[in-house]
Amino acid sequence: MKHSKLTAVIIDDETEAINGMQVLLSGLESIEIAGSTTDPEKAVSLCLRIRPHIIFLDINMPGKDGFAVLHELHEHQFFPYTIFTTAWDQHTLKAIKVGALDYLLKPIDRNELKAAVQKAVDNKESHSIEQRIESLEKAVKNHRKLRFNTRSGYIMIHPDEILYIEADANYSEIWYNKTRRDVVSMNLGAIEALLPEQFIRISRSIIINSTWLTKLSGLNKKCSLRKENEEIEFCVPEKQVRELKLKIENRPY
C-alpha cells in the first residue's frame, strides 16, 4: 500500500540552515517541503495556513523562540509532529514535556534526520503523547552529541565514544582508545561542565567515562577502563574510589 507524502515546514532564523535542511530532505521520498520561514513571528500563521504534518523548528531565535511558536500552535489546537533542530542540547527535557517527536543537534546528521522522519511516517495515525515522549527520550539518549572547541573550529562527539579526557595546560586531550585522540582548545574545567553524569573527575588532570569502567580496587586505589579489547589503568584517590563504587553499584544492566 502506497502512503501519501508528509508535508513539512522549516522554521529557522538562519537561511543557510533552512537551505541545508532542504538539501537533506530532498532525498526522502516520504516528505514534501510545503514552506519555510526565517521569521519566527510569521511561523504560526504559516503553519496554520499550510497545516503541515511535521515542523522542523529551531529553538534559539530572536524575538520568539521555538517553544513560544509551538505553544501558540497548540493554543490554536494544532499539534504537528515537531522535530527540534538546534545547536544546543540543554533544552531536551523541555522538548520532552511539550511532546516533541525528536530533537536533532546541528550540524544535522542525515541518518538521524531520516530516522526522525520515519518516526512520523510510522506514527502518522497515532496521536499518543506518551508514545512521542518515549520516542524523544530514546532519541535524546542515542543522538546527543557534545560540541568541543578546537583550534580550527569545533568537533561533535557522542559521550559514549570517549574513553577518558586528560588535561594539557589550557587544552585537553580526548582519548577514544589507547592511540586515538583529539586535542580541543578547552581546559578540563570547561569540559567537565559539559559532560553528563557518567563522567567522573578522578584527579586534577583526568576525567574518565564510567561507562567503560571494569575494575576498581579500593585497596590499591586503582581503576581500569576497557574499550575495544584494550585496558588502561589509573590511580584513584580514596574519595573518588567511593564515588566510582557507587557508579558501578547503581549502573543499569
Side-chain angles (χ1 to χ4, degrees), residues 16-84:
E16 184 179 345
I18 290 179
N19 292 341
M21 183 66 73
Q22 289 175 333
V23 171
L24 290 173
L25 291 171
S26 63
L28 302 181
E29 296 181 356
S30 58
I31 196 166
E32 178 181 356
I33 302 171
S36 64
T37 181
T38 57
D39 187 350
E41 298 295 337
K42 298 178 180 178
V44 173
S45 59
L46 176 67
C47 289
L48 292 177
R49 176 171 57 84
I50 296 177
R51 303 191 76 82
H53 297 99
I54 304 173
I55 58 172
F56 295 95
L57 183 58
D58 189 17
I59 293 179
N60 295 318
M61 297 183 290
K64 183 183 292 184
D65 69 12
F67 290 110
V69 170
L70 189 61
H71 178 70
E72 285 191 38
L73 290 175
H74 289 178
E75 283 188 330
H76 284 85
Q77 298 301 303
F78 181 50
F79 301 91
Y81 291 113
T82 302
I83 299 175
F84 283 112

Side-chain angles (χ1 to χ4, degrees), residues 17-232:
I18 290 179
N19 292 341
M21 183 66 73
Q22 289 175 333
V23 171
L24 290 173
L25 291 171
S26 63
L28 302 181
E29 296 181 356
S30 58
I31 196 166
E32 178 181 356
I33 302 171
S36 64
T37 181
T38 57
D39 187 350
E41 298 295 337
K42 298 178 180 178
V44 173
S45 59
L46 176 67
C47 289
L48 292 177
R49 176 171 57 84
I50 296 177
R51 303 191 76 82
H53 297 99
I54 304 173
I55 58 172
F56 295 95
L57 183 58
D58 189 17
I59 293 179
N60 295 318
M61 297 183 290
K64 183 183 292 184
D65 69 12
F67 290 110
V69 170
L70 189 61
H71 178 70
E72 285 191 38
L73 290 175
H74 289 178
E75 283 188 330
H76 284 85
Q77 298 301 303
F78 181 50
F79 301 91
Y81 291 113
T82 302
I83 299 175
F84 283 112
T85 56
T86 177
W88 310 97
D89 62 15
Q90 65 263 42
H91 304 295
T92 53
L93 290 179
K94 190 172 182 180
I96 289 172
K97 290 179 180 179
V98 298
L101 180 70
D102 215 324
Y103 190 102
L104 303 180
L105 291 174
K106 298 177 180 177
I108 304 299
D109 179 86
R110 183 185 295 272
N111 290 330
E112 293 182 2
L113 177 61
K114 182 178 179 180
V117 171
Q118 188 60 45
K119 290 178 190 177
V121 173
D122 293 341
N123 294 283
K124 186 177 177 181
E125 303 303 323
S126 172
H127 301 282
S128 167
I129 190 68
E130 289 80 10
Q131 286 183 347
R132 294 194 189 187
I133 290 174
E134 182 182 359
S135 177
L136 183 56
E137 286 176 334
K138 290 180 180 178
V140 169
K141 179 180 179 181
N142 295 331
H143 297 166
R144 182 175 182 264
K145 292 182 181 180
L146 303 176
R147 173 173 170 161
F148 298 95
N149 297 329
T150 65
R151 283 167 284 195
S152 58
Y154 66 88
I155 55 176
M156 303 291 292
I157 307 173
H158 192 288
D160 288 348
E161 294 181 68
I162 301 171
L163 181 60
Y164 70 97
I165 306 168
E166 186 172 11
D168 182 12
N170 291 326
Y171 294 85
S172 298
E173 298 176 343
I174 298 178
W175 290 87
Y176 306 101
N177 52 39
K178 280 188 173 183
T179 57
R180 189 166 68 90
R181 62 168 184 162
D182 274 317
V183 178
V184 298
S185 54
M186 303 168 66
N187 62 39
L188 209 60
I191 288 180
E192 188 174 18
L194 295 175
L195 298 172
E197 62 179 10
Q198 70 202 62
F199 288 86
I200 300 175
R201 188 164 182 167
I202 61 170
S203 68
R204 294 182 64 182
S205 60
I206 296 290
I207 296 175
I208 68 166
N209 184 351
S210 66
T211 298
W212 305 110
L213 181 64
T214 55
K215 295 179 183 178
L216 176 65
S217 172
L219 181 63
N220 298 324
K221 305 295 190 296
K222 291 183 179 180
C223 72
S224 295
L225 307 181
R226 187 172 185 83
K227 185 171 182 267
E228 299 174 1
N229 293 320
E230 295 180 340
E231 191 168 82
I232 185 168

